[in-house]
Amino acid sequence: GDSVTQMEGPVTLSEEAFLTINCTYTATGYPSLFWYVQYPGEGLQLLLKATKADDKGSNKGFEATYRKETTSFHLEKGSVQVSDSAVYFCALVASGGSYIPTFGRGTSLIVHP
Amino acid sequence: DSGVTQTPKHLITATGQRVTLRCSPRSGDLSVYWYQQSLDQGLQFLIQYYNGEERAKGNILERFSAQQFPDLHSELNLSSLELGDSALYFCASSADRVGETQYFGPGTRLLVL
């Protein structure tokens, strides 16, 4: 079945450091890929998405590129801020099925001043 | 603010009891999804309703049930509660039944003692 694998956290960085959170997936067909963010005490919010190979999703300085050849959708940000501290979830929605998202386990990011 | 509301925010109850969680989707959204988030299982899809009808079922226990009412709000009923049911329960909504982009509520934190 479909699955999403994320790097385990927590990821701890200093402010202004470069961020990469790895995400790889297994799915049949051509899924759409998503990153959601969950701030403390809140629900998940869509951060960015990409619907086909080589698409780049971007939002709030975060980027991720849909790489079909490596089945990956790694999240990057050039300079993190303390306010980026949150849990990040990679997810996929497979085409032609129930369209229910499959989520990764989440990666906690802690940014120190 | 995603526009999705959930009540109550917190719920403390005892084993064997029954509780009802309520969700109001974003204005105009026809689909409602329920998820359970726990430390050991991550984010698990429970069930989806679209315009009043059940559309997809995930890892939902027989002790759990849900429904969507004509005004599109939804309720998740959890009965014969066990300690292991303690978790965050999220509701999400989307405009259509495909639901590639979902909008999450703030969640209900359930503690079973």
Side-chain angles (χ1 to χ4, degrees), chain B residues 22 25 29-30 49-53 67-75:
Chain B
R22 183 189 167 102
D29 282 0
L30 299 178
Y49 278 81
Y50 174 75
N51 203 19
E53 294 190 4
Q67 58 186 125
Q68 186 178 28
F69 294 86
D71 67 352
L72 300 177
H73 92 270
S74 178
E75 293 181 356

Short mmCIF file of all heavy atoms in Angstrom, two decimals, chain B residues 22 25 29-30 49-53 67-75:
data_model
loop_
_atom_site.label_atom_id
_atom_site.label_comp_id
_atom_site.label_asym_id
_atom_site.label_seq_id
_atom_site.Cartn_x
_atom_site.Cartn_y
_atom_site.Cartn_z
N ARG B 22 -17.62 17.00 18.34
CA ARG B 22 -18.37 17.71 17.32
C ARG B 22 -17.45 18.52 16.42
O ARG B 22 -16.45 19.06 16.90
CB ARG B 22 -19.38 18.63 17.99
CG ARG B 22 -20.28 19.38 17.02
CD ARG B 22 -21.11 20.43 17.74
NE ARG B 22 -21.74 21.34 16.79
CZ ARG B 22 -23.01 21.29 16.42
NH1 ARG B 22 -23.80 20.36 16.94
NH2 ARG B 22 -23.50 22.16 15.55
N PRO B 25 -17.53 22.09 9.68
CA PRO B 25 -16.57 22.33 8.59
C PRO B 25 -16.55 23.79 8.17
O PRO B 25 -17.37 24.59 8.62
CB PRO B 25 -17.09 21.45 7.46
CG PRO B 25 -18.57 21.37 7.72
CD PRO B 25 -18.73 21.40 9.21
N ASP B 29 -17.86 23.74 2.63
CA ASP B 29 -17.19 22.44 2.44
C ASP B 29 -18.18 21.31 2.69
O ASP B 29 -18.91 21.30 3.68
CB ASP B 29 -16.00 22.31 3.40
CG ASP B 29 -14.79 23.09 2.92
OD1 ASP B 29 -14.89 23.73 1.86
OD2 ASP B 29 -13.76 23.05 3.63
N LEU B 30 -18.15 20.33 1.79
CA LEU B 30 -19.10 19.22 1.88
C LEU B 30 -18.50 17.98 2.53
O LEU B 30 -19.23 17.11 2.99
CB LEU B 30 -19.62 18.86 0.48
CG LEU B 30 -20.37 19.95 -0.26
CD1 LEU B 30 -20.78 19.47 -1.64
CD2 LEU B 30 -21.59 20.40 0.52
N TYR B 49 -16.97 11.65 5.55
CA TYR B 49 -18.33 11.84 5.10
C TYR B 49 -18.36 12.90 4.02
O TYR B 49 -17.61 13.88 4.08
CB TYR B 49 -19.25 12.26 6.25
CG TYR B 49 -19.71 11.08 7.06
CD1 TYR B 49 -18.90 10.53 8.04
CD2 TYR B 49 -20.94 10.50 6.82
CE1 TYR B 49 -19.31 9.43 8.76
CE2 TYR B 49 -21.36 9.39 7.54
CZ TYR B 49 -20.54 8.86 8.50
OH TYR B 49 -20.94 7.76 9.21
N TYR B 50 -19.21 12.68 3.03
CA TYR B 50 -19.39 13.66 1.97
C TYR B 50 -20.87 13.94 1.82
O TYR B 50 -21.65 13.03 1.50
CB TYR B 50 -18.79 13.17 0.65
CG TYR B 50 -19.08 14.08 -0.51
CD1 TYR B 50 -18.41 15.29 -0.65
CD2 TYR B 50 -20.05 13.75 -1.47
CE1 TYR B 50 -18.67 16.14 -1.70
CE2 TYR B 50 -20.32 14.59 -2.52
CZ TYR B 50 -19.63 15.78 -2.64
OH TYR B 50 -19.90 16.63 -3.68
N ASN B 51 -21.26 15.16 2.08
CA ASN B 51 -22.63 15.60 1.92
C ASN B 51 -23.62 14.65 2.61
O ASN B 51 -24.66 14.30 2.04
CB ASN B 51 -22.97 15.73 0.44
CG ASN B 51 -24.12 16.69 0.19
OD1 ASN B 51 -24.46 17.52 1.04
ND2 ASN B 51 -24.75 16.57 -0.96
N GLY B 52 -23.28 14.22 3.78
CA GLY B 52 -24.17 13.41 4.60
C GLY B 52 -23.99 11.91 4.49
O GLY B 52 -24.58 11.15 5.27
N GLU B 53 -23.17 11.48 3.54
CA GLU B 53 -23.01 10.04 3.35
C GLU B 53 -21.58 9.61 3.64
O GLU B 53 -20.63 10.30 3.30
CB GLU B 53 -23.38 9.65 1.91
CG GLU B 53 -24.85 9.87 1.60
CD GLU B 53 -25.25 9.26 0.28
OE1 GLU B 53 -24.42 8.60 -0.36
OE2 GLU B 53 -26.41 9.46 -0.11
N GLN B 67 -21.30 10.50 12.09
CA GLN B 67 -22.35 10.86 11.15
C GLN B 67 -22.19 12.32 10.77
O GLN B 67 -21.53 13.10 11.48
CB GLN B 67 -23.74 10.60 11.74
CG GLN B 67 -24.05 11.31 13.03
CD GLN B 67 -25.40 10.87 13.60
OE1 GLN B 67 -25.50 10.43 14.73
NE2 GLN B 67 -26.44 11.00 12.81
N GLN B 68 -22.77 12.66 9.64
CA GLN B 68 -22.78 14.05 9.17
C GLN B 68 -24.23 14.44 8.99
O GLN B 68 -25.01 13.75 8.33
CB GLN B 68 -22.02 14.19 7.85
CG GLN B 68 -21.89 15.65 7.41
CD GLN B 68 -21.09 15.80 6.12
OE1 GLN B 68 -21.06 14.91 5.29
NE2 GLN B 68 -20.46 16.94 5.95
N PHE B 69 -24.58 15.57 9.54
CA PHE B 69 -25.96 16.02 9.58
C PHE B 69 -26.29 16.90 8.37
O PHE B 69 -25.38 17.35 7.66
CB PHE B 69 -26.20 16.77 10.88
CG PHE B 69 -26.07 15.87 12.10
CD1 PHE B 69 -24.84 15.64 12.68
CD2 PHE B 69 -27.18 15.25 12.61
CE1 PHE B 69 -24.72 14.80 13.79
CE2 PHE B 69 -27.08 14.42 13.72
CZ PHE B 69 -25.84 14.20 14.30
N PRO B 70 -27.58 17.17 8.12
CA PRO B 70 -27.96 17.99 6.96
C PRO B 70 -27.30 19.36 6.93
O PRO B 70 -27.06 19.91 5.85
CB PRO B 70 -29.49 18.11 7.10
CG PRO B 70 -29.88 16.86 7.80
CD PRO B 70 -28.76 16.57 8.77
N ASP B 71 -26.96 19.92 8.10
CA ASP B 71 -26.28 21.23 8.08
C ASP B 71 -24.77 21.05 7.90
O ASP B 71 -24.02 22.02 7.98
CB ASP B 71 -26.58 22.02 9.34
CG ASP B 71 -25.98 21.38 10.59
OD1 ASP B 71 -25.46 20.24 10.49
OD2 ASP B 71 -26.03 22.00 11.66
N LEU B 72 -24.34 19.84 7.66
CA LEU B 72 -22.96 19.43 7.32
C LEU B 72 -22.04 19.32 8.52
O LEU B 72 -20.89 18.88 8.34
CB LEU B 72 -22.34 20.35 6.26
CG LEU B 72 -23.09 20.37 4.93
CD1 LEU B 72 -22.44 21.36 3.97
CD2 LEU B 72 -23.14 18.98 4.31
N HIS B 73 -22.50 19.65 9.72
CA HIS B 73 -21.63 19.39 10.86
C HIS B 73 -21.58 17.88 11.10
O HIS B 73 -22.45 17.14 10.66
CB HIS B 73 -22.07 20.18 12.10
CG HIS B 73 -23.01 19.44 13.00
ND1 HIS B 73 -24.39 19.51 12.86
CD2 HIS B 73 -22.77 18.64 14.07
CE1 HIS B 73 -24.95 18.79 13.80
NE2 HIS B 73 -24.01 18.24 14.55
N SER B 74 -20.53 17.47 11.78
CA SER B 74 -20.34 16.04 11.99
C SER B 74 -20.07 15.75 13.46
O SER B 74 -19.57 16.62 14.20
CB SER B 74 -19.15 15.55 11.14
OG SER B 74 -18.90 14.18 11.35
N GLU B 75 -20.41 14.55 13.87
CA GLU B 75 -20.13 14.10 15.23
C GLU B 75 -19.43 12.74 15.18
O GLU B 75 -19.78 11.89 14.35
CB GLU B 75 -21.42 14.01 16.05
CG GLU B 75 -22.05 15.35 16.30
CD GLU B 75 -23.32 15.27 17.14
OE1 GLU B 75 -23.77 14.15 17.45
OE2 GLU B 75 -23.86 16.34 17.46
#
